Amino acid sequence: MQALWDVFLRVDEGEFVSLIGSNGAGKTTTLNTIIGLLYPKSGSITFKGTPINRLSTSRILDLGIALVPEAKVLFPRMTVLEHLLLGAQVPRAWDKREDTLEWVFQLFPRLKERKNQKAGTLSGGESQMLNIGRALMTRPKLLLLDEPSLGLAPKLVLMIFDTLRKMHEEGVTTLLTEQHIFHALTLCDRGYVIETGRIVLHGQGEELLKNKQIKEKYLGM
């Protein structure tokens, strides 16, 4: 079954771009295709001038793309610190791991408090912080975030988006998929709307928030 049809999007260096849509619209499939877990039948994916649509996921990671998956994939018996150092295993990140680790701890002070704690004992919010922190330890040139607020309490959703805002201010190039439409469009420079595997709208975040179709279908206004 084909999930995506003529999807087009771009993320410029330093930008925060949101890909929004309802459940099953094709958001996760889009990210999985960019990171090399799926291969497109046609079309091209280019990163910094290099075609990547036929590269392995490990090679794409080496080039500088990291994915925070929708599922919180952690090793329950490993500590928080061990997870973060695992993210720094790529060649470009290892020598700078101490500096990156300090930066991650600044973004997520809770992880510093829990650094010697087993991942299996973390709360849902702490697990998501660790997922994001591990990806940041790769020193990504492009960070892909697949619905980081999924399953979190409203207070934690606000905290996650506040951290994403700080990351954006510090220049982390980001492509976010999200069902919290208002937060995603408020934060982003540009946004794309995907429906049944097709991009149907795109523009600046503020413009999309004012769009009548977005208000009616996604914001209930």
Side-chain angles (χ1 to χ4, degrees):
M1 181 177 179
Q2 185 167 339
L4 301 177
W5 305 81
D6 302 320
V7 168
F8 67 93
L9 57 85
R10 84 171 195 276
V11 182
D12 294 327
E13 188 171 355
E15 268 196 318
F16 194 112
V17 175
S18 292
L19 178 64
I20 65 172
S22 57
N23 190 33
K27 302 187 300 298
T28 295
T29 301
T30 299
L31 295 194
N32 285 344
T33 305
I34 293 172
I35 201 67
L37 296 174
L38 300 170
Y39 292 133
K41 293 177 64 177
S42 62
S44 62
I45 305 171
T46 304
F47 179 64
K48 289 185 172 292
T50 301
I52 64 171
N53 45 289
R54 289 296 169 186
L55 298 182
S56 66
T57 298
S58 59
R59 178 60 183 141
I60 292 171
L61 180 63
D62 286 340
L63 290 175
I65 302 178
L67 170 67
V68 179
E70 179 181 321
K72 300 176 182 66
V73 183
L74 300 175
F75 301 97
R77 296 184 180 180
M78 288 176 59
T79 66
V80 167
L81 182 59
E82 287 170 337
H83 275 86
L84 294 174
L85 292 178
L86 183 64
Q89 295 296 318
V90 292
R92 70 174 180 282
W94 185 249
D95 289 344
K96 299 178 180 178
R97 64 190 182 280
E98 295 298 333
D99 291 339
T100 312
L101 186 63
E102 187 58 36
W103 175 54
V104 169
F105 283 156
Q106 289 176 6
L107 288 171
F108 299 107
R110 188 74 61 83
L111 294 183
K112 188 172 185 177
E113 296 172 6
R114 303 280 193 271
K115 66 179 182 180
N116 296 317
Q117 191 169 319
K118 303 290 188 189
T121 66
L122 299 178
S123 68
E126 291 166 346
S127 296
Q128 190 60 288
M129 295 176 203
L130 184 53
N131 264 337
I132 298 173
R134 180 175 54 187
L136 291 175
M137 288 296 296
T138 71
R139 302 183 69 88
K141 299 175 183 176
L142 171 62
L143 180 66
L144 307 177
L145 288 160
D146 193 5
E147 305 211 31
S149 67
L150 185 67
L152 299 183
K155 184 178 180 180
L156 291 174
V157 170
L158 294 176
M159 187 202 68
I160 289 293
F161 273 97
D162 184 58
T163 303
L164 297 184
R165 177 187 57 78
K166 293 176 183 176
M167 289 163 49
H168 180 33
E169 291 173 350
E170 295 188 30
V172 178
T173 306
T174 304
L175 175 60
L176 167 77
T177 71
E178 228 346 297
Q179 290 190 57
H180 282 276
I181 307 301
F182 178 79
H183 293 309
L185 293 182
T186 299
L187 180 61
C188 73
D189 298 303
R190 292 185 299 108
Y192 293 85
V193 182
I194 187 169
E195 294 181 358
T196 58
R198 300 179 187 273
I199 300 295
V200 295
L201 284 172
H202 70 279
Q204 293 184 344
E206 293 181 359
E207 294 175 350
L208 292 176
L209 277 173
K210 297 175 183 177
N211 183 279
K212 182 179 179 181
Q213 181 180 345
I214 298 294
K215 287 182 175 181
E216 292 178 351
K217 185 166 186 177
Y218 296 105
L219 300 179
M221 300 171 63

